[in-house]
Amino acid sequence: MLTLSSKQNTADKTPLEKFLAHNPFPEPLTQGFFYREKMRAIHNIAPNQPLQIILEIGGGQSGLSALLYPQAQITNLDLNPEYAQAPCNQQERVCFVCGDATALPFENNSFDAVTMFDLLEHVPDHQKAITEALRVLRPGGFILISTPNENWRFPYYKFMKSICPSEAEIMAEWGHVRRSYTLTELQVLISLPCQEYATFINPLTVLGHDISFSRLSHRQRQFLCKMLSPLTWLSYYLHQPHSMGTETASVWQKHE
């Protein structure tokens, strides 16, 4: 039986610092620092368990589930067939499948866990995607999700509007079909209680995030992110899992 417990053997999950050291985003300590925040939140909520068979929906070329659970067999399903050639999908224990989150080509009760990192906000029929995820998840298994939450907006501060794309432009660029989810909205969607959650990208670290996606040149973005680095690191270390953030990682357990 799979259970969520802080007493589980943490060796089943990659140690945090080792996990963070493999941040796949370019320039991970400056313009990619926000991805470090995301990874820490995901690590915080991920069960400390020997999950053996994991389905990563929309994993693309990041390989987060494989990094998180180094002993697990990973199936990465994504709509983009080009991601099959990404290094993370060339590992022996990773199987890449080109497919649709709303029509999973797998049998019922096939996986110990399903991960949906930054996925639901891209899927028009998000209810069907959740229904499919629950169908292929074994009883007692986990769904790990990350999404923007009710505090998300772009840019976060009005004074940044002159150097940033509009929110509509950035959502179109990223392929978002909706802004965000509250935990209550996710609970209604999933029809399960939330086991744990952790927020990330707080009102201070968000400055670096928004600069990274601004209209400034690469050199200007890099310079500003470095200038903000002391504030970013301090805010990162002071941030608590349930503090205010603009995005949320959460874990949900299917009934036995």
Side-chain angles (χ1 to χ4, degrees), residues 82-196:
E82 295 180 4
Y83 290 151
Q85 303 307 315
C88 67
N89 295 320
Q90 295 296 307
Q91 300 176 72
E92 185 176 346
R93 64 187 179 95
V94 177
C95 174
F96 180 86
V97 176
C98 184
D100 187 342
T102 64
L104 298 177
F106 310 113
E107 296 182 0
N108 296 351
N109 307 324
S110 298
F111 298 94
D112 295 328
V114 176
T115 64
M116 308 173 86
F117 300 139
D118 296 348
L119 173 83
L120 289 176
E121 61 271 22
H122 297 266
V123 182
D125 192 349
H126 56 178
Q127 184 63 74
K128 181 62 174 175
I130 288 293
T131 299
E132 280 290 274
L134 289 171
R135 178 183 66 79
V136 303
L137 185 66
R138 292 173 179 166
F142 302 98
I143 297 183
L144 282 69
I145 293 174
S146 66
T147 64
N149 64 33
E150 65 274 21
N151 298 314
W152 185 89
R153 56 184 179 268
F154 189 89
Y156 188 83
Y157 293 107
K158 290 183 179 180
F159 71 82
M160 297 277 288
K161 286 188 175 182
S162 63
I163 64 169
C164 289
S166 69
E167 185 171 293
E169 289 173 321
I170 206 72
M171 286 180 65
E173 180 182 340
W174 292 346
H176 288 196
V177 297
R178 61 187 62 83
R179 287 185 76 253
S180 60
Y181 297 86
T182 65
L183 279 174
T184 299
E185 289 169 338
L186 284 175
Q187 189 161 352
V188 170
L189 190 66
I190 302 169
S191 298
L192 293 173
C194 179
Q195 297 293 313
E196 184 57 273

Side-chain angles (χ1 to χ4, degrees), residues 28-50:
L29 297 182
T30 52
Q31 294 185 68
F33 192 89
F34 71 92
Y35 209 84
R36 179 187 181 91
E37 297 179 78
K38 168 184 170 177
M39 291 176 71
R40 181 177 67 169
I42 287 171
H43 190 277
N44 192 301
I45 59 93
N48 293 326
Q49 300 207 6

